[in-house]
Amino acid sequence: MEKDLSSSFRKAAEAIKDARTMIITAGAGMGVDSGLPDYRGEKGFWRSYPMYMPLGINYYDAANPVHFGSDPAFGWGFYSHRIDLYRETKPHQGFRLLQEWIDRYRMDYFVVTSNVDGQFQKAGFPEDRLYEVHGSIHYLQCTIPCSSDIWENNEHAPVDLSTMRAQEVLRCPRCGAVSRPNVLMFGDFSWIAERSQEQQKNYRLFLKKCHYPMVVVEMGAGTAISTIRNMSETLGRNHDAVVIRINPRDYHISQPHVSVPCSALEGLQGIQEELQKYG
Ligand SMILES: [Zn+2]
Protein backbone atom coordinates (compact mmCIF):
# COMPACT_ATOMS: atom_id res chain seq x y z
CA MET A 1 0.00 0.00 0.00
CA GLU A 2 2.83 2.36 0.95
CA LYS A 3 4.48 1.86 -2.44
CA ASP A 4 1.17 2.24 -4.32
CA LEU A 5 0.53 5.57 -2.67
CA SER A 6 3.92 7.06 -3.47
CA SER A 7 3.63 6.19 -7.15
CA SER A 8 0.09 7.65 -7.16
CA PHE A 9 1.35 10.85 -5.58
CA ARG A 10 4.10 11.10 -8.17
CA LYS A 11 1.78 10.57 -11.14
CA ALA A 12 -0.72 13.06 -9.73
CA ALA A 13 2.01 15.66 -9.20
CA GLU A 14 3.20 15.25 -12.79
CA ALA A 15 -0.30 15.86 -14.14
CA ILE A 16 -0.78 18.94 -11.94
CA LYS A 17 2.50 20.66 -12.72
CA ASP A 18 1.91 20.28 -16.48
CA ALA A 19 -1.72 21.45 -16.43
CA ARG A 20 -3.00 24.89 -17.42
CA THR A 21 -6.48 24.28 -16.03
CA MET A 22 -7.50 22.54 -12.83
CA ILE A 23 -11.07 21.47 -12.15
CA ILE A 24 -11.64 20.63 -8.51
CA THR A 25 -14.52 18.20 -7.96
CA ALA A 26 -15.54 17.39 -4.39
CA GLY A 27 -18.02 15.17 -2.58
CA ALA A 28 -18.86 14.56 1.07
CA GLY A 29 -15.47 12.97 1.84
CA MET A 30 -13.81 16.37 1.35
CA GLY A 31 -15.29 17.59 4.63
CA VAL A 32 -14.31 14.62 6.79
CA ASP A 33 -10.77 15.94 7.35
CA SER A 34 -12.25 19.23 8.61
CA GLY A 35 -14.08 17.18 11.23
CA LEU A 36 -17.48 17.15 9.51
CA PRO A 37 -19.65 14.09 10.14
CA ASP A 38 -19.74 11.16 7.75
CA TYR A 39 -23.38 10.33 7.03
CA ARG A 40 -22.56 7.05 5.34
CA GLY A 41 -24.87 4.29 6.54
CA GLU A 42 -27.31 4.50 9.42
CA LYS A 43 -24.55 3.87 11.94
CA GLY A 44 -22.49 6.74 10.57
CA PHE A 45 -25.48 9.04 10.81
CA TRP A 46 -26.47 7.96 14.31
CA ARG A 47 -22.91 8.32 15.53
CA SER A 48 -23.18 12.01 14.67
CA TYR A 49 -26.84 12.31 15.65
CA PRO A 50 -27.50 9.82 18.48
CA MET A 51 -30.75 11.63 19.35
CA TYR A 52 -32.34 10.34 16.13
CA MET A 53 -31.61 6.69 16.87
CA PRO A 54 -34.47 6.03 19.35
CA LEU A 55 -36.80 7.77 16.90
CA GLY A 56 -35.63 5.39 14.15
CA ILE A 57 -34.85 8.35 11.90
CA ASN A 58 -32.03 7.98 9.40
CA TYR A 59 -30.35 10.59 7.20
CA TYR A 60 -32.87 10.16 4.38
CA ASP A 61 -35.76 10.76 6.80
CA ALA A 62 -34.16 13.76 8.50
CA ALA A 63 -33.12 15.43 5.24
CA ASN A 64 -36.63 15.27 3.79
CA PRO A 65 -38.49 18.46 2.86
CA VAL A 66 -41.81 17.01 4.08
CA HIS A 67 -41.05 18.10 7.67
CA PHE A 68 -41.03 21.79 6.74
CA GLY A 69 -44.73 21.41 5.95
CA SER A 70 -45.85 18.91 8.58
CA ASP A 71 -43.63 19.89 11.52
CA PRO A 72 -41.43 22.93 10.72
CA ALA A 73 -39.64 22.98 14.09
CA PHE A 74 -38.52 19.41 13.49
CA GLY A 75 -37.50 20.11 9.88
CA TRP A 76 -35.55 23.18 10.97
CA GLY A 77 -33.95 21.26 13.86
CA PHE A 78 -31.80 19.11 11.62
CA TYR A 79 -30.87 21.90 9.21
CA SER A 80 -30.22 24.56 11.80
CA HIS A 81 -27.91 22.18 13.63
CA ARG A 82 -25.97 21.58 10.41
CA ILE A 83 -25.86 25.31 9.57
CA ASP A 84 -24.29 25.98 12.98
CA LEU A 85 -21.81 23.15 12.45
CA TYR A 86 -20.72 24.40 9.03
CA ARG A 87 -20.47 27.97 10.30
CA GLU A 88 -18.12 26.83 13.06
CA THR A 89 -16.01 24.51 10.89
CA LYS A 90 -12.57 25.59 9.74
CA PRO A 91 -11.67 24.18 6.30
CA HIS A 92 -8.69 21.80 6.50
CA GLN A 93 -5.27 22.59 5.08
CA GLY A 94 -5.99 20.77 1.81
CA PHE A 95 -8.02 23.75 0.59
CA ARG A 96 -4.93 25.93 1.05
CA LEU A 97 -2.77 23.47 -0.92
CA LEU A 98 -5.14 23.59 -3.88
CA GLN A 99 -4.94 27.41 -3.87
CA GLU A 100 -1.16 27.23 -3.64
CA TRP A 101 -0.97 25.05 -6.77
CA ILE A 102 -3.33 27.31 -8.68
CA ASP A 103 -1.02 30.25 -7.92
CA ARG A 104 2.28 28.45 -8.41
CA TYR A 105 1.40 26.93 -11.79
CA ARG A 106 -0.79 29.87 -12.86
CA MET A 107 -3.72 27.60 -13.59
CA ASP A 108 -7.25 28.50 -14.58
CA TYR A 109 -9.60 26.75 -12.21
CA PHE A 110 -13.17 25.98 -11.29
CA VAL A 111 -14.72 24.12 -8.35
CA VAL A 112 -17.66 21.73 -8.70
CA THR A 113 -19.07 20.30 -5.48
CA SER A 114 -22.09 18.38 -4.29
CA ASN A 115 -21.41 19.66 -0.78
CA VAL A 116 -23.84 22.26 0.53
CA ASP A 117 -21.59 23.30 3.42
CA GLY A 118 -19.99 26.44 1.92
CA GLN A 119 -16.49 25.34 2.89
CA PHE A 120 -14.86 26.37 -0.41
CA GLN A 121 -16.12 29.96 0.02
CA LYS A 122 -14.95 29.89 3.61
CA ALA A 123 -11.49 28.80 2.43
CA GLY A 124 -11.40 31.83 0.12
CA PHE A 125 -12.51 30.43 -3.23
CA PRO A 126 -14.48 33.12 -5.08
CA GLU A 127 -18.20 32.67 -5.68
CA ASP A 128 -17.85 33.02 -9.48
CA ARG A 129 -15.54 29.99 -9.63
CA LEU A 130 -17.98 27.68 -7.87
CA TYR A 131 -20.70 25.36 -9.00
CA GLU A 132 -22.66 23.94 -6.03
CA VAL A 133 -24.72 21.28 -7.80
CA HIS A 134 -27.03 20.65 -4.83
CA GLY A 135 -27.23 24.26 -3.65
CA SER A 136 -25.98 25.81 -0.42
CA ILE A 137 -27.28 25.47 3.11
CA HIS A 138 -26.32 29.11 3.73
CA TYR A 139 -29.07 30.32 1.38
CA LEU A 140 -32.82 30.08 1.97
CA GLN A 141 -36.01 29.94 -0.08
CA CYS A 142 -39.75 29.89 0.61
CA THR A 143 -41.29 26.43 1.16
CA ILE A 144 -44.42 27.22 -0.88
CA PRO A 145 -42.57 28.81 -2.82
CA CYS A 146 -44.31 32.16 -3.28
CA SER A 147 -41.53 33.40 -5.56
CA SER A 148 -38.23 32.19 -6.95
CA ASP A 149 -36.32 34.37 -4.46
CA ILE A 150 -33.20 32.91 -2.86
CA TRP A 151 -31.62 34.88 -0.03
CA GLU A 152 -28.54 34.57 2.14
CA ASN A 153 -29.24 33.19 5.61
CA ASN A 154 -27.95 35.63 8.20
CA GLU A 155 -30.21 34.36 10.96
CA HIS A 156 -29.71 31.81 13.69
CA ALA A 157 -32.33 29.35 14.91
CA PRO A 158 -31.26 27.67 18.18
CA VAL A 159 -31.93 23.93 18.46
CA ASP A 160 -32.93 21.88 21.51
CA LEU A 161 -30.47 19.01 21.14
CA SER A 162 -32.53 16.59 23.24
CA THR A 163 -35.43 16.73 20.77
CA MET A 164 -33.62 18.10 17.69
CA ARG A 165 -36.37 20.70 17.39
CA ALA A 166 -35.60 24.30 16.46
CA GLN A 167 -36.73 26.82 19.05
CA GLU A 168 -37.49 29.22 16.27
CA VAL A 169 -38.68 28.63 12.71
CA LEU A 170 -37.24 30.90 10.02
CA ARG A 171 -39.81 32.41 7.68
CA CYS A 172 -40.11 33.82 4.19
CA PRO A 173 -39.84 37.64 4.39
CA ARG A 174 -42.21 37.99 1.44
CA CYS A 175 -45.22 35.86 2.49
CA GLY A 176 -44.50 34.73 6.06
CA ALA A 177 -44.61 31.00 5.23
CA VAL A 178 -41.91 28.72 6.59
CA SER A 179 -38.58 29.06 4.80
CA ARG A 180 -36.07 26.27 4.15
CA PRO A 181 -32.45 25.93 3.08
CA ASN A 182 -31.95 26.21 -0.69
CA VAL A 183 -30.49 22.71 -0.99
CA LEU A 184 -31.69 19.71 -2.93
CA MET A 185 -33.15 17.32 -0.33
CA PHE A 186 -34.34 13.74 -0.77
CA GLY A 187 -37.64 13.49 -2.66
CA ASP A 188 -37.56 17.24 -3.18
CA PHE A 189 -39.90 18.81 -5.71
CA SER A 190 -39.78 22.44 -4.56
CA TRP A 191 -36.04 23.17 -4.57
CA ILE A 192 -35.44 26.40 -6.49
CA ALA A 193 -32.46 25.58 -8.69
CA GLU A 194 -31.85 29.06 -10.11
CA ARG A 195 -28.78 29.95 -8.06
CA SER A 196 -27.19 26.61 -8.90
CA GLN A 197 -28.15 26.96 -12.57
CA GLU A 198 -26.50 30.38 -12.70
CA GLN A 199 -23.30 28.79 -11.37
CA GLN A 200 -23.63 26.00 -13.92
CA LYS A 201 -23.80 28.63 -16.66
CA ASN A 202 -20.52 30.14 -15.40
CA TYR A 203 -18.98 26.68 -15.36
CA ARG A 204 -20.01 25.91 -18.94
CA LEU A 205 -18.67 29.26 -20.15
CA PHE A 206 -15.44 28.57 -18.32
CA LEU A 207 -15.07 25.18 -20.05
CA LYS A 208 -15.47 26.84 -23.43
CA LYS A 209 -12.63 29.27 -22.81
CA CYS A 210 -10.16 27.36 -20.63
CA HIS A 211 -6.66 26.32 -21.63
CA TYR A 212 -5.25 22.83 -21.98
CA PRO A 213 -4.00 20.45 -20.72
CA MET A 214 -6.60 20.00 -17.99
CA VAL A 215 -6.31 18.12 -14.71
CA VAL A 216 -9.25 17.14 -12.50
CA VAL A 217 -8.68 16.73 -8.77
CA GLU A 218 -11.60 14.73 -7.40
CA MET A 219 -11.91 14.27 -3.64
CA GLY A 220 -14.25 12.24 -1.48
CA ALA A 221 -16.88 11.63 -4.15
CA GLY A 222 -18.75 8.43 -3.30
CA THR A 223 -20.63 5.97 -5.46
CA ALA A 224 -24.02 6.24 -3.66
CA ILE A 225 -24.80 9.55 -5.37
CA SER A 226 -22.45 9.51 -8.32
CA THR A 227 -23.03 12.99 -9.77
CA ILE A 228 -19.54 14.24 -9.01
CA ARG A 229 -17.74 11.08 -10.18
CA ASN A 230 -19.66 11.21 -13.44
CA MET A 231 -18.71 14.84 -13.95
CA SER A 232 -15.02 14.05 -13.40
CA GLU A 233 -15.16 11.16 -15.86
CA THR A 234 -16.95 13.28 -18.45
CA LEU A 235 -14.15 15.86 -18.23
CA GLY A 236 -11.70 13.00 -18.73
CA ARG A 237 -13.48 11.92 -21.91
CA ASN A 238 -14.54 15.22 -23.44
CA HIS A 239 -11.62 17.43 -22.41
CA ASP A 240 -8.83 14.89 -22.42
CA ALA A 241 -8.26 15.65 -18.74
CA VAL A 242 -6.27 13.48 -16.37
CA VAL A 243 -8.57 12.68 -13.44
CA ILE A 244 -6.93 12.28 -10.04
CA ARG A 245 -9.39 10.37 -7.89
CA ILE A 246 -8.60 10.73 -4.18
CA ASN A 247 -10.81 8.46 -2.12
CA PRO A 248 -10.10 6.05 0.76
CA ARG A 249 -12.76 3.55 -0.39
CA ASP A 250 -14.15 4.08 -3.90
CA TYR A 251 -10.82 4.96 -5.47
CA HIS A 252 -10.97 2.91 -8.64
CA ILE A 253 -10.40 4.65 -11.96
CA SER A 254 -8.59 3.26 -14.99
CA GLN A 255 -5.49 4.66 -16.65
CA PRO A 256 -4.42 7.16 -17.83
CA HIS A 257 -6.24 8.53 -14.79
CA VAL A 258 -4.70 8.35 -11.33
CA SER A 259 -6.20 6.53 -8.39
CA VAL A 260 -5.10 7.82 -4.96
CA PRO A 261 -6.49 5.52 -2.25
CA CYS A 262 -6.54 7.77 0.83
CA SER A 263 -8.41 10.69 2.42
CA ALA A 264 -8.55 14.12 0.74
CA LEU A 265 -6.09 15.80 3.08
CA GLU A 266 -3.61 12.91 3.09
CA GLY A 267 -3.77 12.76 -0.71
CA LEU A 268 -3.24 16.48 -1.20
CA GLN A 269 -0.35 16.51 1.27
CA GLY A 270 1.27 13.51 -0.45
CA ILE A 271 0.99 15.23 -3.84
CA GLN A 272 2.38 18.44 -2.32
CA GLU A 273 5.51 16.57 -1.17
CA GLU A 274 6.05 15.32 -4.71
CA LEU A 275 5.47 18.76 -6.21
CA GLN A 276 8.07 20.25 -3.89
CA LYS A 277 10.70 17.95 -5.41
CA TYR A 278 10.37 19.89 -8.66
CA GLY A 279 11.33 23.04 -6.76
ZN1 LIG B 1 -42.96 32.96 0.59
PDB file of all heavy atoms in Angstrom, residues 3 6 11 26 28 42 58 84-85 108 118 125 166 171-172 185 259 271:
ATOM      1  N   LYS A   3       3.850   1.673  -1.139  1.00  0.00           N
ATOM      2  CA  LYS A   3       4.481   1.857  -2.441  1.00  0.00           C
ATOM      3  C   LYS A   3       3.454   2.385  -3.456  1.00  0.00           C
ATOM      4  O   LYS A   3       3.738   3.306  -4.215  1.00  0.00           O
ATOM      5  CB  LYS A   3       5.053   0.517  -2.916  1.00  0.00           C
ATOM      6  CG  LYS A   3       6.011   0.645  -4.084  1.00  0.00           C
ATOM      7  CD  LYS A   3       6.829  -0.635  -4.235  1.00  0.00           C
ATOM      8  CE  LYS A   3       7.731  -0.532  -5.457  1.00  0.00           C
ATOM      9  NZ  LYS A   3       6.960  -0.704  -6.698  1.00  0.00           N
ATOM     10  N   SER A   6       2.879   6.127  -3.022  1.00  0.00           N
ATOM     11  CA  SER A   6       3.916   7.058  -3.466  1.00  0.00           C
ATOM     12  C   SER A   6       3.938   7.167  -4.990  1.00  0.00           C
ATOM     13  O   SER A   6       4.171   8.244  -5.522  1.00  0.00           O
ATOM     14  CB  SER A   6       5.283   6.697  -2.880  1.00  0.00           C
ATOM     15  OG  SER A   6       5.693   5.463  -3.393  1.00  0.00           O
ATOM     16  N   LYS A  11       2.526  10.405  -9.879  1.00  0.00           N
ATOM     17  CA  LYS A  11       1.775  10.571 -11.143  1.00  0.00           C
ATOM     18  C   LYS A  11       0.832  11.772 -11.067  1.00  0.00           C
ATOM     19  O   LYS A  11       0.688  12.528 -12.031  1.00  0.00           O
ATOM     20  CB  LYS A  11       0.947   9.311 -11.439  1.00  0.00           C
ATOM     21  CG  LYS A  11       1.774   8.171 -11.987  1.00  0.00           C
ATOM     22  CD  LYS A  11       0.850   6.987 -12.339  1.00  0.00           C
ATOM     23  CE  LYS A  11       1.579   5.674 -12.199  1.00  0.00           C
ATOM     24  NZ  LYS A  11       0.660   4.553 -11.927  1.00  0.00           N
ATOM     25  N   ALA A  26     -15.558  17.860  -5.782  1.00  0.00           N
ATOM     26  CA  ALA A  26     -15.539  17.391  -4.393  1.00  0.00           C
ATOM     27  C   ALA A  26     -16.889  16.870  -3.929  1.00  0.00           C
ATOM     28  O   ALA A  26     -17.936  17.456  -4.215  1.00  0.00           O
ATOM     29  CB  ALA A  26     -15.080  18.528  -3.474  1.00  0.00           C
ATOM     30  N   ALA A  28     -18.767  14.495  -0.395  1.00  0.00           N
ATOM     31  CA  ALA A  28     -18.856  14.561   1.070  1.00  0.00           C
ATOM     32  C   ALA A  28     -17.543  14.252   1.780  1.00  0.00           C
ATOM     33  O   ALA A  28     -17.245  14.824   2.829  1.00  0.00           O
ATOM     34  CB  ALA A  28     -19.944  13.619   1.557  1.00  0.00           C
ATOM     35  N   GLU A  42     -26.537   4.057   8.254  1.00  0.00           N
ATOM     36  CA  GLU A  42     -27.312   4.498   9.416  1.00  0.00           C
ATOM     37  C   GLU A  42     -26.420   4.669  10.637  1.00  0.00           C
ATOM     38  O   GLU A  42     -26.597   5.583  11.419  1.00  0.00           O
ATOM     39  CB  GLU A  42     -28.423   3.492   9.708  1.00  0.00           C
ATOM     40  CG  GLU A  42     -29.520   3.553   8.656  1.00  0.00           C
ATOM     41  CD  GLU A  42     -30.743   2.738   8.990  1.00  0.00           C
ATOM     42  OE1 GLU A  42     -30.604   1.763   9.747  1.00  0.00           O
ATOM     43  OE2 GLU A  42     -31.821   3.075   8.483  1.00  0.00           O
ATOM     44  N   ASN A  58     -33.337   7.982  10.053  1.00  0.00           N
ATOM     45  CA  ASN A  58     -32.026   7.982   9.400  1.00  0.00           C
ATOM     46  C   ASN A  58     -31.830   9.282   8.618  1.00  0.00           C
ATOM     47  O   ASN A  58     -32.676  10.176   8.642  1.00  0.00           O
ATOM     48  CB  ASN A  58     -31.854   6.741   8.511  1.00  0.00           C
ATOM     49  CG  ASN A  58     -32.850   6.709   7.358  1.00  0.00           C
ATOM     50  OD1 ASN A  58     -33.346   7.744   6.919  1.00  0.00           O
ATOM     51  ND2 ASN A  58     -33.145   5.517   6.872  1.00  0.00           N
ATOM     52  N   ASP A  84     -25.201  25.585  11.897  1.00  0.00           N
ATOM     53  CA  ASP A  84     -24.287  25.980  12.980  1.00  0.00           C
ATOM     54  C   ASP A  84     -22.945  25.266  12.843  1.00  0.00           C
ATOM     55  O   ASP A  84     -21.885  25.864  12.978  1.00  0.00           O
ATOM     56  CB  ASP A  84     -24.894  25.627  14.349  1.00  0.00           C
ATOM     57  CG  ASP A  84     -26.030  26.570  14.721  1.00  0.00           C
ATOM     58  OD1 ASP A  84     -26.209  27.579  14.016  1.00  0.00           O
ATOM     59  OD2 ASP A  84     -26.740  26.279  15.703  1.00  0.00           O
ATOM     60  N   LEU A  85     -23.021  23.958  12.573  1.00  0.00           N
ATOM     61  CA  LEU A  85     -21.814  23.147  12.454  1.00  0.00           C
ATOM     62  C   LEU A  85     -20.923  23.663  11.323  1.00  0.00           C
ATOM     63  O   LEU A  85     -19.713  23.856  11.498  1.00  0.00           O
ATOM     64  CB  LEU A  85     -22.236  21.695  12.182  1.00  0.00           C
ATOM     65  CG  LEU A  85     -21.133  20.654  12.056  1.00  0.00           C
ATOM     66  CD1 LEU A  85     -20.425  20.478  13.391  1.00  0.00           C
ATOM     67  CD2 LEU A  85     -21.725  19.316  11.602  1.00  0.00           C
ATOM     68  N   ASP A 108      -5.838  28.160 -14.624  1.00  0.00           N
ATOM     69  CA  ASP A 108      -7.255  28.501 -14.579  1.00  0.00           C
ATOM     70  C   ASP A 108      -7.901  27.443 -13.700  1.00  0.00           C
ATOM     71  O   ASP A 108      -7.420  26.313 -13.658  1.00  0.00           O
ATOM     72  CB  ASP A 108      -7.884  28.378 -15.975  1.00  0.00           C
ATOM     73  CG  ASP A 108      -7.480  29.513 -16.894  1.00  0.00           C
ATOM     74  OD1 ASP A 108      -7.083  30.569 -16.383  1.00  0.00           O
ATOM     75  OD2 ASP A 108      -7.560  29.306 -18.121  1.00  0.00           O
ATOM     76  N   GLY A 118     -20.631  25.121   2.086  1.00  0.00           N
ATOM     77  CA  GLY A 118     -19.991  26.437   1.920  1.00  0.00           C
ATOM     78  C   GLY A 118     -18.526  26.492   2.325  1.00  0.00           C
ATOM     79  O   GLY A 118     -17.986  27.578   2.521  1.00  0.00           O
ATOM     80  N   PHE A 125     -12.228  30.579  -1.803  1.00  0.00           N
ATOM     81  CA  PHE A 125     -12.514  30.426  -3.232  1.00  0.00           C
ATOM     82  C   PHE A 125     -13.647  31.382  -3.617  1.00  0.00           C
ATOM     83  O   PHE A 125     -14.658  31.446  -2.921  1.00  0.00           O
ATOM     84  CB  PHE A 125     -12.922  28.980  -3.549  1.00  0.00           C
ATOM     85  CG  PHE A 125     -11.763  28.019  -3.560  1.00  0.00           C
ATOM     86  CD1 PHE A 125     -11.295  27.470  -2.368  1.00  0.00           C
ATOM     87  CD2 PHE A 125     -11.138  27.677  -4.751  1.00  0.00           C
ATOM     88  CE1 PHE A 125     -10.217  26.591  -2.364  1.00  0.00           C
ATOM     89  CE2 PHE A 125     -10.061  26.801  -4.755  1.00  0.00           C
ATOM     90  CZ  PHE A 125      -9.601  26.256  -3.562  1.00  0.00           C
ATOM     91  N   ALA A 166     -36.047  22.897  16.450  1.00  0.00           N
ATOM     92  CA  ALA A 166     -35.600  24.295  16.464  1.00  0.00           C
ATOM     93  C   ALA A 166     -36.521  25.093  17.375  1.00  0.00           C
ATOM     94  O   ALA A 166     -37.732  24.873  17.397  1.00  0.00           O
ATOM     95  CB  ALA A 166     -35.626  24.863  15.052  1.00  0.00           C
ATOM     96  N   ARG A 171     -38.679  32.218   8.599  1.00  0.00           N
ATOM     97  CA  ARG A 171     -39.810  32.407   7.677  1.00  0.00           C
ATOM     98  C   ARG A 171     -39.447  33.220   6.448  1.00  0.00           C
ATOM     99  O   ARG A 171     -38.460  33.956   6.434  1.00  0.00           O
ATOM    100  CB  ARG A 171     -40.983  33.073   8.416  1.00  0.00           C
ATOM    101  CG  ARG A 171     -41.538  32.151   9.475  1.00  0.00           C
ATOM    102  CD  ARG A 171     -42.805  32.636  10.153  1.00  0.00           C
ATOM    103  NE  ARG A 171     -43.247  31.592  11.062  1.00  0.00           N
ATOM    104  CZ  ARG A 171     -44.048  30.580  10.722  1.00  0.00           C
ATOM    105  NH1 ARG A 171     -44.518  30.486   9.493  1.00  0.00           N
ATOM    106  NH2 ARG A 171     -44.386  29.664  11.613  1.00  0.00           N
ATOM    107  N   CYS A 172     -40.274  33.083   5.438  1.00  0.00           N
ATOM    108  CA  CYS A 172     -40.108  33.820   4.190  1.00  0.00           C
ATOM    109  C   CYS A 172     -40.469  35.284   4.426  1.00  0.00           C
ATOM    110  O   CYS A 172     -41.571  35.577   4.896  1.00  0.00           O
ATOM    111  CB  CYS A 172     -41.021  33.210   3.129  1.00  0.00           C
ATOM    112  SG  CYS A 172     -41.167  34.198   1.638  1.00  0.00           S
ATOM    113  N   MET A 185     -32.976  18.352  -1.367  1.00  0.00           N
ATOM    114  CA  MET A 185     -33.147  17.322  -0.333  1.00  0.00           C
ATOM    115  C   MET A 185     -33.606  16.021  -1.004  1.00  0.00           C
ATOM    116  O   MET A 185     -33.755  15.959  -2.226  1.00  0.00           O
ATOM    117  CB  MET A 185     -34.169  17.794   0.694  1.00  0.00           C
ATOM    118  CG  MET A 185     -33.777  19.120   1.332  1.00  0.00           C
ATOM    119  SD  MET A 185     -34.974  19.715   2.564  1.00  0.00           S
ATOM    120  CE  MET A 185     -34.361  21.378   2.843  1.00  0.00           C
ATOM    121  N   SER A 259      -5.443   6.903  -9.563  1.00  0.00           N
ATOM    122  CA  SER A 259      -6.201   6.527  -8.390  1.00  0.00           C
ATOM    123  C   SER A 259      -5.346   6.759  -7.141  1.00  0.00           C
ATOM    124  O   SER A 259      -4.220   6.265  -7.058  1.00  0.00           O
ATOM    125  CB  SER A 259      -6.563   5.045  -8.541  1.00  0.00           C
ATOM    126  OG  SER A 259      -7.238   4.595  -7.418  1.00  0.00           O
ATOM    127  N   ILE A 271       0.703  14.633  -2.522  1.00  0.00           N
ATOM    128  CA  ILE A 271       0.988  15.226  -3.836  1.00  0.00           C
ATOM    129  C   ILE A 271       1.875  16.470  -3.653  1.00  0.00           C
ATOM    130  O   ILE A 271       2.805  16.705  -4.408  1.00  0.00           O
ATOM    131  CB  ILE A 271      -0.326  15.585  -4.565  1.00  0.00           C
ATOM    132  CG1 ILE A 271      -1.116  14.304  -4.874  1.00  0.00           C
ATOM    133  CG2 ILE A 271      -0.048  16.361  -5.848  1.00  0.00           C
ATOM    134  CD1 ILE A 271      -2.566  14.539  -5.295  1.00  0.00           C
TER     135      ILE A 271
END
